[in-house]
């Protein structure tokens, strides 16, 4: 739990998140950073991993269960579709309520605050149920891009902030009053928005080649999707590129990648804390269709090849990237290779995709969301 010392005269904000993937934590941290940049020292805050810290067993293991579950795309997609209506998601919450009720009330007792912000779909309805008894403002910041599950939307929230117009339309279809949903963007850390160092200086520091395009490969926080197969296909095609592969928290994948004999320059990493540098020093991103990673790449003007998606949840992300011309959907390793070949042969195609990334980027999102939260707790910018 990330926590600042409570100051009685400052509004206190609690962020509900969980490490199911990397995106929820990144979003909460980006908003907190933006609050500190714009309203320094004016709020205190905590990040609470509701699953790890409060859910009864086995739900407290959700962050550990999520990676293996997400590696079963057919089952994931089935579960997503079966639950994705307001009625079904309400029924699931009703069934879970007797089991989780005490934990949620304990959360409310132990974390008094002036504003609660949820960046996780599964935390909205259970927490809002307790608001019959007490009333503090509750804001949902949706961290899926377009295909936003019914779990995100509960009309008892005071404000629901979404990244795209598609997500807003989704919320309205799920019965949310239009005036409650605001399109601001997906919050992204400030370092993505400013180049701290020249790309070549970063490459020198990292020991990456300076004379080849750098292809950055990421599978979200958990190293998901056919990352390994795709890296082998690029290697076997002997493309004149350097590969930088981030395996995230997937240690086995990292070990296998490190022990492989590569034909081309390859650098392998586990979970990295300096993703802005990795993106700013690369030429192309090959990634699963995670909303956080896509939003960060757009800000960095890094053209995107999407090699996998979580069915249901990330379908809309693929359409969004492809329709905006920011990247390509390449679900087979050969397709990734042929896209790279065409982008190497005609770099103007890659530059056009990079320009489209910048066009759809929302670098202001974290700051605008921070301003919306600040307005709710009545703080203003220092003169
Ligand atoms: N990330 C990171 N270090 C890593 C791998 C991922 O900081 O080694 C971050 C990445 O920059 C992004 C988030 O984790 O902010 C992944 O979020 P996304 O929504 O793309 O996918 P998820 O992991 O939530 O499915």
């Amino acid at each position: 739990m990330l926590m600042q010392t409570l100051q009685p005269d400052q509004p206190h904000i609690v962020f509900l998140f969980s490490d199911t993937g990397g995106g929820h934590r990144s979003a909460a941290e980006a908003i907190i950073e933006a609050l500190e940049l714009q309203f320094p020292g004016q709020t205190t805050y905590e990040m609470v991993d509701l699953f790890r810290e409060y859910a009864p067993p086995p739900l407290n293991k959700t962050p550990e269960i999520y990676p293996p579950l997400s590696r079963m795309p057919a089952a994931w997609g089935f579960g997503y579709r079966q639950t994705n209506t307001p009625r079904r998601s309400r029924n699931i919450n009703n069934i879970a309520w007797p089991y989780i009720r005490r934990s949620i009330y304990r959360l409310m007792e132990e974390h008094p605050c002036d504003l609660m912000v949820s960046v996780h779909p599964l935390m909205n309805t259970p927490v809002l149920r307790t608001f019959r008894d007490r009333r503090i403002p509750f804001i949902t910041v949706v961290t899926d891009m377009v295909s936003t599950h019914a779990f995100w939307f509960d009309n008892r929230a005071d404000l629901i902030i979404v990244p795209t117009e598609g997500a807003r339309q989704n919320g309205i279809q799920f019965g949310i009053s239009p005036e409650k949903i605001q399109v601001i963007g997906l919050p992204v850390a400030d370092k993505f928005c400013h180049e701290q160092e020249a790309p070549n200086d970063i490459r020198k520091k990292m020991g990456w080649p300076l004379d080849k395009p750098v292809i950055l490969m990421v599978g979200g926080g958990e190293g998901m999707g056919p990352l390994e197969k795709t890296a082998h296909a690029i290697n076997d095609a002997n493309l004149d590129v350097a590969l930088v592969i981030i395996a995230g928290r997937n240690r086995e994948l990292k070990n296998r990648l490190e022990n492989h004999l590569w034909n081309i320059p390859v650098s392998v990493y586990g979970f990295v804390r300096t993703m802005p540098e990795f993106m700013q020093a690369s030429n192309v991103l090959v990634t699963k269709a995670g909303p956080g990673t896509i939003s960060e790449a757009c800000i960095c003007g890094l053209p995107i090849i999407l090699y996998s998606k979580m069915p249901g949840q990330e379908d809309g992300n693929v359409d969004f990237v492809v329709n905006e011309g920011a990247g390509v959907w390449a679900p087979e390793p050969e397709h990734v290779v042929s896209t790279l070949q065409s982008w190497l042969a005609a770099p103007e195609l890659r530059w056009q995709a990079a320009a489209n990334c910048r066009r759809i980027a929302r670098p202001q999102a974290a700051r605008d969301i921070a301003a919306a939260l600040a307005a709710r707790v009545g703080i203003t910018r220092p003169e």
Side-chain angles (χ1 to χ4, degrees), residues 20-24 26 66 192 218 220-222 224 246 248 270-273 275 279 288 290-294 296 314:
T20 48
H24 306 295
S26 296
Y66 175 79
F192 287 98
V218 196
E222 309 292 343
M224 288 189 288
I246 298 181
F271 195 89
V272 302
R273 295 266 164 221
M275 190 62 89
M279 287 197 180
K288 108 173 160 89
T293 307
I294 291 172
E296 292 159 0
E314 293 178 346

Side-chain angles (χ1 to χ4, degrees), residues 94-310:
N94 286 342
I95 292 165
W97 181 241
Y99 184 58
I100 58 175
R101 180 172 178 276
R102 279 181 55 193
S103 312
I104 304 290
Y105 274 103
R106 190 160 63 82
L107 162 86
M108 301 307 289
E109 283 299 317
E110 292 178 0
H111 297 280
C113 59
D114 301 290
L115 169 65
M116 201 161 246
V117 179
S118 158
V119 295
H120 200 286
L122 299 178
M123 293 170 188
N124 307 305
T125 296
V127 171
L128 283 163
R129 265 185 117 126
T130 68
F131 280 37
R132 267 182 244 145
D133 309 337
R134 70 198 88 192
R135 191 66 203 146
I136 48 166
F138 186 98
I139 296 181
T140 303
V141 178
V142 174
T143 59
D144 279 317
M145 204 171 247
V146 188
S147 331
T148 39
H149 194 282
F151 279 132
W152 279 110
F153 299 106
D154 190 310
N155 240 329
R156 288 167 290 189
D158 295 280
L159 175 65
I160 302 178
I161 294 171
V162 293
T164 59
E165 182 55 32
R168 180 171 171 273
Q169 290 305 328
N170 230 354
I172 293 170
Q173 261 183 15
F174 284 150
I176 301 295
S177 334
E179 66 280 5
K180 264 196 189 169
I181 315 186
Q182 212 177 324
V183 183
I184 297 188
L186 203 122
V188 163
D190 196 62
K191 278 196 174 147
F192 287 98
C193 311
H194 316 278
E195 238 178 54
Q196 315 284 319
E197 255 181 286
N200 271 353
D201 290 345
I202 301 174
R203 287 190 189 196
K204 276 186 216 153
K205 188 172 73 184
M206 303 286 211
W208 303 346
L210 299 179
D211 58 344
K212 295 179 194 304
V214 169
I215 314 301
L216 176 64
M217 303 188 70
V218 196
E222 309 292 343
M224 288 189 288
L227 197 61
E228 190 172 14
K229 223 165 66 173
T230 308
H232 285 180
I234 297 171
N235 179 59
D236 295 345
N238 273 312
L239 299 187
D240 189 20
V241 298
L243 278 188
V244 171
I245 312 176
I246 298 181
R249 298 192 194 91
N250 190 337
R251 290 219 184 100
E252 285 172 25
L253 172 65
K254 179 169 179 273
N255 286 342
R256 284 200 306 275
L257 291 169
E258 278 173 340
N259 291 321
H260 189 76
L261 285 178
W262 300 96
N263 305 325
I264 57 175
V266 173
S267 312
V268 178
Y269 299 84
F271 195 89
V272 302
R273 295 266 164 221
T274 51
M275 190 62 89
E277 289 191 355
F278 278 74
M279 287 197 180
Q280 284 159 6
S282 301
N283 300 99
V284 172
L285 175 69
V286 177
T287 179
K288 108 173 160 89
T293 307
I294 291 172
S295 305
E296 292 159 0
C298 286
I299 292 173
C300 296
L302 188 59
I304 304 166
I305 300 177
L306 297 171
Y307 71 78
S308 78
K309 62 177 181 181
M310 302 267 285

